[in-house]
Amino acid sequence: MEIQEPEDGAPEPGMVEPAGAATATVPEVQEAFEEIEVDAPLVGIIMGSANDKPKMQPAGEALHEAGIRYEVRVMSAHRDPEQVRDYCQNARMRGLKVIIAGAGMSAALPGVAAAHSDLPVIGVPISGHNLGGLDALLSAVQMPPGVPVGCVAIDGAKNAGLLAARIINA
């Protein structure tokens, strides 16, 4: 099947003009997009398990009270590391400014998020059954050089939300 050009030379609706045919430059297009106000979230709240939602809810409440849009995702650094990588690598492009990562036990999620994004990452250690969250706290704060993670108290999701709001409003 052959595609035919319309007789008047204008592209058909839905068709893309060939490269070089556009008159706007890339910086002009980027500038135009910056002027568009969208209701995209500014903070991503991620957690390793759906069971962590009640302990992470205060972060969302603090952001809501500050008038900051956020999104919530459940993803595991252990069970689906590719999903975490993709989410964090694309976070800035999607408009996020801060990632809040809550995790219990080995608490790898904050460190993995920081390893795959240049955005500020706030770790929220979540209390567990065996060590009361101390294992999660130590995992979140003991990051190697070059993988910065800010960390709040065990089950300190409210402070994570308040800190994210301060970062955004700074």
Side-chain angles (χ1 to χ4, degrees), residues 88-111:
C88 294
Q89 285 179 341
N90 295 315
R92 179 180 294 280
M93 179 187 70
R94 293 184 13 261
L96 295 183
K97 303 291 183 198
V98 178
I99 297 172
I100 298 174
M105 297 171 52
S106 68
L109 189 59

Side-chain angles (χ1 to χ4, degrees), residues 9-170:
E12 293 181 34
M15 298 290 290
V16 177
E17 290 194 30
T23 57
T25 64
V26 172
E28 290 171 340
V29 171
Q30 288 175 339
E31 185 177 318
F33 276 111
E34 288 173 4
E35 294 174 5
I36 298 173
E37 289 189 31
V38 295
D39 289 334
L42 298 176
V43 177
I45 300 175
I46 59 177
M47 62 201 79
S49 168
N51 295 334
D52 298 335
K53 284 183 179 181
K55 294 203 174 171
M56 292 299 292
Q57 186 173 348
E61 292 169 356
L63 291 166
H64 178 75
E65 288 174 13
I68 296 173
R69 296 171 309 278
Y70 64 94
E71 64 185 18
V72 177
R73 300 283 187 276
V74 175
M75 58 187 68
S76 170
H78 297 108
R79 291 182 291 276
D80 197 353
E82 293 82 19
Q83 180 185 17
V84 175
R85 182 195 67 226
D86 291 344
Y87 179 85
C88 294
Q89 285 179 341
N90 295 315
R92 179 180 294 280
M93 179 187 70
R94 293 184 13 261
L96 295 183
K97 303 291 183 198
V98 178
I99 297 172
I100 298 174
M105 297 171 52
S106 68
L109 189 59
V112 171
H116 292 294
S117 179
D118 62 348
L119 294 176
V121 174
I122 303 169
V124 180
I126 296 177
S127 59
H129 300 293
N130 296 332
L131 299 174
L134 185 58
D135 50 345
L137 174 66
L138 293 174
S139 294
V141 299
Q142 295 294 339
M143 291 294 108
V147 186
V149 173
C151 188
V152 295
I154 297 169
D155 296 333
K158 179 175 183 176
N159 274 352
L162 294 170
L163 181 56
R166 287 184 180 190
I167 290 169
I168 289 169
N169 292 324

